[in-house]
Structures are given as C-alpha cells and as structure tokens.
Amino acid sequence: MEKRVTLAAGALALTVIGLMPVLMIVASTFYVAGEFSLTTYQALLASSKQLAPLMGRSVLLSLSVTLLAMMVGTPLGVLLGKTDLPLRGAFTMLVTLPLLLPPYVIAVAWFAVLGSTGWIGRFLAPTTSEFLSSAFFGFYGCIGALSTAFMPVVMLLTIAYLGTVNPRLEQAGLLMSRWPSVLWGITLPLIARAILFAAVLVFLLTLGEVGVPTFLRYPVYPVEILTQFAAFYDFSAATAAAIPMLIITAVILVLEIRLLHTSALELSAATIGRRNAPIELGRWRFPLFGLALVWTLVMVALPIAELIVQSASLSAFADAFSRASDSILRSVVFAAIGATLLTLLGFFCGYLIHNRTLPLWRSIDALALFLFTLPGTVIGIGLISLWNRPITNAIYATPAIIILGYLAQYAVLPTRMTAATLQRIPPSLEQAAQLCGASWFMTLRHIVAPLAKRGLIGAWIIAYIFCLRDLGITLVVYPPGFDTLPVRILTLMANGAPSLIAALCVILIAVTLLPFFVGALWQTRAGRPP
Amino acid sequence: MANARWATTMSMIEFRSVCKEYHGRRVIATLSLKIEAKERVVLFGPSGCGKSTVLHLIAGLVIPDAGEILVNDELVATAKKNLREPQQRGVGMVFQDLALWPHMTVRENIEFGLRAKRIPKKQRRQRVKEMVDLVGLDDYLSTKSGELSGGQQQRVALARTLAVAPGIVLMDEPLSNLDDASNVQLRKEIVRLHGDLGFTLVYVTHKRDEAEALRARIIFLRCGRIDDASSAVR
C-alpha cells in the first residue's frame, strides 16, 4: 500500500509540475478576460504571415542539424562503440563534452575561432576573415554550433543500443560474411529505430533552442516567443505563439511512438546485455584513429582551447567575477537543489516505470519525454500561466519557479537512469527482503538504494549539469535579481568584451564539469569504470 | 536447537482452482492442491510448467487471476487480489539465484529479517549465531556474500530464510548451480533441517534424482496442471 501511494504521489507530482503548466497554456488561449474566446487564435492567424517564415526557418534549421548529427553521430557511434579503436573511451568523453554545455557556449567558442578577430582570422586576409565571420553569423553558424552540441545524442544512443544487439545474431552473420556486411545488413537495421528516435530527439531539441540563434542573430520561432514575452511584455501573444510549438512537439512524439514503436523504456534497456567482441579494424585502425583525433581536436578541443586562450588574463577573470559572482553562486545552488529534487522525483518515477506498479506507468514515461523535448520557453510560459497569481506568489516571485521548471523539463533524465539502474538489480533481491518481513521503505533504504547508488549518483550529476546549462526556462521565469550564469552571459553578450564573455564561459564550463569529474574520480577510486 | 521464541508455526497451504496467465499465456491452469502442515513436497516437472509460479503464488509475489489461496485456513489471495502481503504470510523462500544482497556481509544478510521484525539487537546476534552454527558458516560472518563459494552462498541463503522461523519454506531450484557433491550434501542438510525445525517445505526441481532423494511427496506438474498419473507419495 505504502509503495503504491508513494509512487502515485511521485507520478502526481510530475503531472502537477510538468503537465499543469502545459494545460494552463492551452486553457489560457481559450479564456480571455475570464470568458471563452478564440481571439488568441484569430490574432495568431492574423500574424501568421510573420510567424510562418520563422517557423519555416526553425524547421529548416532543425532538419539540417538532425541530418548532420545523424551523418556524423551514427558512424562515430559505431566506431567508438563497436570497434577496437585506441582510446575510444577518451574520445567518447571528449566528443560528449559539447552536450554537457549550454549550446551557445559552443557558439561563443566557435566565434572565438571563426570570428573576424578569431584564431583563423589571424591567418587570413581581412576580406576573407570578414566573409567567414559574416557567414558564421546566421544559418550556417547555427547548424555548426547546434550539430556539435547535439550530435553526441545520436552517437551515445548508437553506442548504447549497439550494446543491446544479441551477439549471436552478428556471429551467425559473420559465419557467412565480413563485418562491414554484417554491420550494414544486420546490426544497423536492428538499431535503426533507435537511431531514428535519436534523430527525433535532436530535431526537437534544435527546434526549441533559443541561445544559439539569439547569439548568432538568426531569427527563429522560439526566439519570437521570447521576444513577445521579454521585449514587448505581450504575454498573451507569447502564449499563443507557444501553441504551434506545443502541437508540433506532441505530434512528432506521438507519431514516433506509434509508427516506429520505439518504446521510451527501451532507452533503459540499452547498455544491458552481453557485448560482442569488438570489430578488429586491422590496417584501418590507425587511419580511423587519426580521423577521430582530427574530428575531436577540430570540433571540440580547438574551439574550447581558443575560448580558454581568449579568456586567459587575470583582468578578464577579475571582471567576470566582479560582474557575475552572484550569478555563479546562484547557478550552482539552484542546480544542486534542482538535481537533488530531480533525483528523488526521478527515483520514484523510474521505479514506477521499471516495476510497472501502477497502470499509468506508460503515461508517466511519455509525459517525462514530452516535457524534455518541449522548448524551455514554452514550459516557462506555462509556469508563469500557472503560478502567476497572488495566492502562489511565494512560488512565482522566488527561485522556486526556476526549480519547478527544472523538475518539469529534466525529470526524464533521472527517471530513465533510475529505470536503467533498477534493471540491473535482480527482482529476487527485493522480493527476498519482502519475504524477510521488510516494509517497502526499509527495502528501498537497505537494499535498493545501496545497490543503485552508482546509478543515482550518476543521475544526480547529469541532472545537475542539465539544470546548470538551462537557458530556455530560466530566461523566461527568473524573478528579478535571481538570474543564473547562463542568463547573465547571454545578457552581457550584447555589449561585453569578448575576453569577459570567454572568461564567463570558461567559468561556466568549470562549474558544469566539476561534479562530473568528482564523480568520475570517485568511481575510478571505487575500482569501477565510470 | 531453536528455543520457544523461534518455534515455527504449523502452516498448511491450499490452492482452490487457481489460474495464472502471463501475457495471454496460461501458466497455471485451474490448479487445486493441498499441502499439509510440516509436509515435505516436491514440485517436479519440465521447464516452463509453472513450478516457480506456484511458489510465487504461495509467497504472494504473484497475484492469481482466478481461484483462491489459503494459508492455515486463512484466505490470503483471491482473484486479482492479495489479501495478505508477502511479508505477512510467514513464508520464507530460497530463490534460484539465491538473492543474497551483495553489499551486505553474511551477518547482515541473516540479520536483515530480524531487524525488519524489530528484534532487539542482543537476540538478533544470538539468533544469527544459531543460524551460522546450523549451516556451518561461523567463520564467515564478516565476509561479503559475493566472496563466498556457491555452496557457502547456498547455506547463507538457507540461514537467512530460516532465521525468522517461517512456517513455510519455499525452495526454487536452490541447488541448480552446485556441483554434484555439494548438491548431494546440501540435499541431506535440507532434509535434516526440515526434520529438526518442522516447517512446511515446498521444493521445486526439474531433476528427477533430486526430487526422489528428498523423500517427499512429489507433485508432477505439466503445462500448469497436476499430472496425477505421475505424482506419487514417497
């Protein structure tokens, strides 16, 4: 009984925190000044001439980024997850790094390389460097920065799902053919749905992105929502503009689940199962190693190194701390609180999904995924619609609203990680405790939690990183005087010196990765691979 | 051996037309059976015939789709409903994979059920001592369960199950991962413990020699039903 009540409470919490704001957006578009009205939609239709091109740009950008991420991420995933390439663990970590940072930090880093005063510009003629810089600001720059940021999604899911392919199927193929044919004919078709799922994720994440298009001055649809809200203070226009994004996200996810039947839970199953022996690259080993090295150096190491070089002065860091020390502290505190609450919520939701304790487990799983892929600006607008009333001012006017935003958008991460961790614990261990007379809470405390410790710490770190890098929600909902570091950087970008922006980005990278490295160190000390 | 506090209760088990399906496949088909208190019963049959499901139904880990289950003449489960939760049924179980908690020592594994029952520390320690003496593992109290051999792990699982003095002990192919010599030795110990402690034992196996060596009533299961022709009292 206590188990069902607790899990139902967890599911209810996610529904209230995540779904209610979305429903409030929909409701508020039908009720204007306390009466049923379609004026919001009439206004939306009237402004469709301005909005349609913006949506067109958003979709084009998302499609381009998705295509590029697939073209690079899938082969890279196979190379790093399936072969005997030297240092593939280190490559995986380095190539994943951009996913852990706010995407606009990648754009800033790329600007440090490709901008007119950037690293490459020093070696080029002024006209050429100007041309390169102006080409970077806009569509192509957005594609470059966002595909670098989101490509790891495809790569990581490819690696994870490769681990779920039954080795016997490949071994049967290898009796008749060589690895390239087996990969092409057996392995990749088996994980094709998973790769398409990754593509859908990348598409939706790009569609909701505001930081990179804002920095690179490429007007897209989510930026318009933000502009209506932040620049024109037109909340009803912002709410109306959020509706198409809501519909697109929901339709794509429903189509994906219905047509491709990629159960969201399969993500949890990924990485479980016996792995086949790696593909021996033979004479291709070192050429492919060189290729991976060049890719990693150019796409990840070079921009971040240039960012560090640009910031490398005491005055830049002194300036950065004097202007943003309060934001840095707030970011870390909010992210730590958000991560702790997310881990708790994710644990109960993950347990519910893993054990299918309540009939609505599938809905909770789909809801968490939907909220993750929904643009942060839309969730932000929904949170304001829900909580901006006198009785809930203690939430609306305080950082609590930021934390609620984190809980809504990122619940899927600890939920999936918990579900994946619990799948590694044989059910008999919990059943044995039950038969010994232990209550559910005692079983959780003494059996499940200690066995799932590593997974839960991992979930906390990932939740912390995503809370810290958040821009979409925070930009919309932060109360005056409570901005976070990503918001402060974006604000300062308009007129701050490049060295100051670079220093702030470096600080953001450092505070983002700090617990990640502490966690990795802890796991290494514990004698287990991170 | 066991003092009055740890005396096992007399427990009989009764199934009345119990059915169970998994994903549309009927695993238990209208099963009716009665196991008397202190009786030693072997559920024997090929893989997939529903033996383990019967144990899980008795323990309350699985809920029947139809029929009734009684323990000590008390209705504990009916169609789609558990009336008594697993921890309330006085049932202990040795799982096929033993289900020892790898992060705990032998002592902690055995002591866990006693802590759940809020037994005072002094009595817990004494009971753990009795149990490790019983199964011959007194030198391994501080060893993590994962560091023990298969036979030793088997004994810990047995000690953990018996520590809380359950009226019914269920064993789900507990010796399947042991070599022949250990298998024979532990079979004898199980028979001895059953004789000494007087619990009701339901033992699942798919090995004929193991079933016969336990000198118990053998219930032959085939496709979720009792095969009367092959079942026998020994």
Side-chain angles (χ1 to χ4, degrees), chain A residues 21-29 40-41 44 47 51 55 207-208 221-229 234-250 370 373-385 476:
Chain A
V22 175
L23 294 178
M24 277 306 293
I25 293 181
V26 179
S28 66
T29 57
T40 307
Y41 291 93
L44 191 66
S47 57
L51 294 180
M55 183 58 88
L207 195 69
Y221 197 87
V223 176
E224 174 64 16
I225 301 176
L226 193 67
T227 310
Q228 289 293 345
F229 174 70
D234 189 345
F235 188 69
S236 61
T239 310
I243 290 290
M245 296 295 282
L246 201 65
I247 294 169
I248 288 176
T249 309
F370 170 66
T373 50
L374 205 58
T377 43
V378 175
I379 292 182
I381 297 283
L383 286 168
I384 293 172
S385 299
V476 175

Side-chain angles (χ1 to χ4, degrees), chain B residues 112-129:
Chain B
F112 183 81
L114 304 168
R115 285 171 69 190
K117 291 189 186 305
R118 298 175 190 276
I119 306 291
K121 190 173 178 179
K122 198 175 165 190
Q123 288 176 26
R124 282 201 319 251
R125 292 288 152 121
Q126 195 184 337
R127 181 65 175 169
V128 170
K129 176 88 176 56

Side-chain angles (χ1 to χ4, degrees), chain A residues 329-498:
Chain A
L329 186 65
R330 268 197 297 276
S331 279
V332 172
V333 171
F334 293 171
I337 294 171
T340 307
L341 294 176
L342 272 167
T343 308
L344 197 65
L345 180 66
F347 178 79
F348 288 118
C349 291
Y351 188 97
L352 168 66
I353 291 166
H354 169 67
N355 278 287
R356 303 177 184 188
T357 315
L358 300 172
L360 48 70
W361 69 269
R362 207 183 288 273
S363 312
I364 291 300
D365 193 32
L367 173 64
L369 185 63
F370 170 66
L371 292 168
F372 181 64
T373 50
L374 205 58
T377 43
V378 175
I379 292 182
I381 297 283
L383 286 168
I384 293 172
S385 299
L386 181 64
W387 300 107
N388 183 13
R389 47 200 81 229
I391 199 167
T392 53
N393 209 39
I395 291 173
Y396 174 69
T398 65
I401 196 163
I402 300 176
I403 305 291
L404 286 178
Y406 293 161
L407 293 180
Q409 182 137 52
Y410 303 121
V412 73
L413 300 169
T415 298
R416 290 292 165 80
M417 289 185 74
T418 301
T421 304
L422 294 178
Q423 257 175 339
R424 290 178 173 83
I425 302 174
S428 58
L429 296 189
E430 208 178 318
Q431 291 168 347
Q434 237 181 324
L435 290 176
C436 279
S439 68
W440 184 61
F441 281 117
M442 187 181 178
T443 307
L444 283 190
R445 190 177 152 209
H446 293 283
I447 309 295
V448 180
L451 291 173
K453 189 169 64 181
R454 280 204 307 146
L456 295 179
I457 290 172
W460 189 93
I461 292 171
I462 294 296
Y464 169 87
I465 288 169
F466 273 80
C467 290
L468 198 72
R469 77 195 269 286
D470 178 79
L471 184 68
I473 295 172
T474 319
L475 203 53
V476 175
V477 303
Y478 79 92
F482 288 104
D483 64 339
T484 57
L485 184 56
V487 174
R488 183 69 63 93
I489 296 174
L490 200 74
T491 316
L492 288 171
M493 269 176 187
N495 49 17

